[in-house]
Amino acid sequence: MKAFPWHRAELEALLRDRAHLPHALLVHGPAGIGKTEFARALAAGALCEDPRDGLACEACASCHWFSQGNHPDYREIVPEAALEDEEAAQGEGAKADKAKSLVIKIEQIRAVADFFALTTHRAGYRVMLIHPAEALHPAAANALLKTLEEPPPSTLIVLVSDRPARLLATIRSRCRRLALHAPPRVAGAQAALAAAGGAPLLARDLAEPKEAELRKRLLAELARPGGADALQFSAGMERASVERFLYWMQTWVHDLVRLRLAGDPRHHVDQVSALRSRAKGADLEALFALDRELAAARRLASPPLNPRLVAEHLLMSYNRATSGTHS
Ligand SMILES: [Zn+2]
């Protein structure tokens, strides 16, 4: 369980002195920047039995349990609906017919009261992670407040929120606040993106309607069983969009390659079935060649003079790479 590189300093600063972690920490900042990952990395670090520079070693029994999702001294509290989404994303089948709660209910907070009453299994910290904290039902928030007012020893409660202003003021005042920043926009962003699996930037970009629209249109083309309609799509290509076009297309190609090499997609995780079907007939060598072309196009300092031709050419290369005529 790793925090993203751009949050490493904050994580190390907190874990440097494990004996004096706050009882309650409110982690806040913009959506999609990796706050929950940060909170989990913090939890793993606090629970680890053999920390390295304060961070989780990823090798001890505690880290093993944590990664398996069954550490006895760790609880994660999310709205039922979020839990369902995660299960569906993991292909474990969602019970879509049953309406799921979008709020964190008081029963969920009460259920962990016993957890806090026990001594810890590993004689270390007990950690509870609540996200998103603004989803706490007022009754649940009040129940939580009681715990925050008299925190049991060796307890770390981490609240994660995009919208801390929506929390009860009494809850906010009982937490140490930690503002996390977005990943760097320019310097090293691509390296950070690769390390992080693309998700935070994806989330950030998709928060902008124009970006979401471009990605949606492009992915519909790339997913098309007979191949992309290169001419029609490229006809509407604007210079201002080329950079993002190249980015989305390259991440899509990376996902195809990862699928072919028996991995999972890393970027477009919401498009797994489309990726699978396109990966099936794809020629790996041709995908690598296309990836090099995309990388070269992205390295150009300025947008191309003729974005339409660039898009057309790349989409045609893509169609050849995924046409299924290769063995
Ligand atoms: Zn460990």
Side-chain angles (χ1 to χ4, degrees):
M1 187 49 60
K2 281 193 165 68
F4 293 127
W6 49 85
H7 295 148
R8 184 70 56 83
E10 284 93 339
L11 189 62
E12 284 178 353
L14 265 172
L15 286 169
R16 195 167 292 139
D17 191 3
R18 294 212 306 175
H20 297 101
L21 284 172
H23 294 299
L25 183 72
L26 170 57
V27 177
H28 61 97
I33 62 167
K35 293 189 299 300
T36 305
E37 289 76 4
F38 175 90
R40 287 183 183 137
L42 173 63
L47 294 165
C48 175
E49 290 162 10
D50 187 20
R52 309 285 154 86
D53 298 327
L55 305 184
C57 72
E58 301 187 46
C60 71
S62 173
C63 286
H64 179 70
W65 287 329
F66 194 91
S67 69
Q68 298 294 306
N70 55 15
H71 197 294
D73 293 321
Y74 178 68
R75 294 287 186 282
E76 203 168 306
I77 300 177
V78 297
E80 272 178 22
L83 209 58
E84 200 77 353
D85 284 350
E86 278 179 23
E87 281 170 8
Q90 287 164 11
E92 287 169 16
K95 299 169 202 84
D97 52 321
K98 203 175 158 203
K100 288 291 171 181
S101 177
L102 291 168
V103 300
I104 295 171
K105 298 175 183 169
I106 187 169
E107 291 80 11
Q108 292 176 269
I109 298 297
R110 281 197 184 130
V112 290
D114 293 342
F115 167 63
F116 282 115
L118 297 168
T119 55
T120 68
H121 287 76
R122 309 292 293 183
Y125 269 99
R126 214 172 358 215
V127 185
M128 176 163 82
L129 172 58
I130 301 177
H131 69 95
E134 63 269 21
L136 281 163
H137 184 277
N142 275 313
L144 177 66
L145 195 55
K146 290 199 178 73
T147 306
L148 293 178
E149 280 165 350
E150 291 169 42
S154 303
T155 295
L156 170 62
I157 299 174
V158 187
L159 292 88
V160 174
S161 179
D162 304 338
R163 291 180 284 264
R166 292 197 185 175
L167 299 179
L168 285 182
T170 42
I171 293 236
R172 280 201 308 270
S173 69
R174 301 263 170 202
C175 298
R176 191 202 288 184
R177 297 183 64 147
L178 176 66
L180 289 185
H181 54 87
R185 267 194 177 260
V186 194
Q190 291 312 320
L193 172 65
L201 292 182
L202 180 67
R204 187 199 72 195
D205 287 337
L206 290 179
E208 295 169 23
K210 223 184 150 188
E211 285 291 350
E213 168 65 20
L214 174 67
R215 174 177 179 264
K216 196 175 152 198
R217 281 198 300 122
L218 176 61
L219 265 47
E221 286 302 321
L222 297 176
R224 198 191 291 274
D229 190 342
L231 294 179
Q232 208 212 316
F233 182 88
S234 306
M237 198 70 205
E238 294 166 23
R239 291 189 71 179
S241 304
V242 172
E243 196 189 337
R244 306 314 289 165
F245 163 86
L246 294 171
Y247 167 71
W248 295 126
M249 188 165 173
Q250 193 177 25
T251 51
W252 179 272
V253 168
H254 285 176
D255 278 349
L256 290 180
V257 170
R258 283 181 62 89
L259 273 170
R260 282 298 300 267
L261 299 177
D264 302 312
R266 172 169 288 185
H267 301 281
H268 303 281
V269 291
D270 56 342
Q271 303 282 330
V272 178
S273 61
L275 281 164
R276 280 227 173 86
S277 70
R278 296 313 292 151
K280 218 177 285 169
D283 174 53
L284 209 46
E285 281 304 316
L287 286 178
F288 284 132
L290 177 57
D291 178 47
R292 285 193 294 273
E293 278 196 73
L294 285 161
R298 291 183 67 188
R299 273 197 301 273
L300 292 173
S302 53
L305 290 174
N306 196 328
R308 182 178 60 82
L309 284 183
V310 169
E312 251 176 42
H313 169 75
L314 288 167
L315 286 170
M316 284 173 174
S317 295
Y318 172 79
N319 286 347
R320 282 193 299 277
T322 57
S323 62
T325 56
H326 310 277
S327 56

